[in-house]
Amino acid sequence: MSEPTSSAGTGPDLGGDPDEVVGAVWAEALGLDFIDPEMGFFDLGATSAMVLEVVRVLRRRWPRIQFVDVFAHPTVAQLAAFLADE
């Protein structure tokens, strides 16, 4: 599957592989082109307000994700693996 993309106000493509989706959502929230899947969300400069936005977007695909899940699974790799089990 191709890289997740943004389209006119809809945000990243949420239909891909969980690693790609989480990485794209984090990258958009942080204003980055690439997210190292092993780097922690807060180590990359995220704020608590960004967690709210990330969870809001990810809930469109994984409705049961909670804010604490981002804290409990602080890297793209960890959160994607957690969400893949959903």
Side-chain angles (χ1 to χ4, degrees):
M1 176 161 216
S2 64
E3 293 274 330
T5 58
S6 277
S7 54
T10 60
D13 176 7
L14 299 177
D17 176 74
D19 288 309
E20 292 175 355
V21 172
V22 174
V25 171
W26 285 22
E28 184 173 277
L30 292 162
L32 300 172
D33 292 328
F34 172 77
I35 299 290
D36 178 339
E38 300 302 325
M39 288 287 299
F41 192 52
F42 293 101
D43 295 333
L44 292 165
T47 64
S48 297
M50 288 177 185
V51 173
L52 297 174
E53 178 62 16
V54 163
V55 169
R56 184 188 67 76
V57 172
L58 292 175
R59 277 189 177 151
R60 294 194 326 236
R61 174 153 174 199
W62 295 284
R64 298 191 316 178
I65 187 174
Q66 300 294 314
F67 301 108
V68 296
D69 296 332
V70 177
F71 293 94
H73 311 283
T75 70
V76 167
Q78 292 170 349
L79 188 59
F82 170 77
L83 294 172
D85 289 339
E86 281 279 305

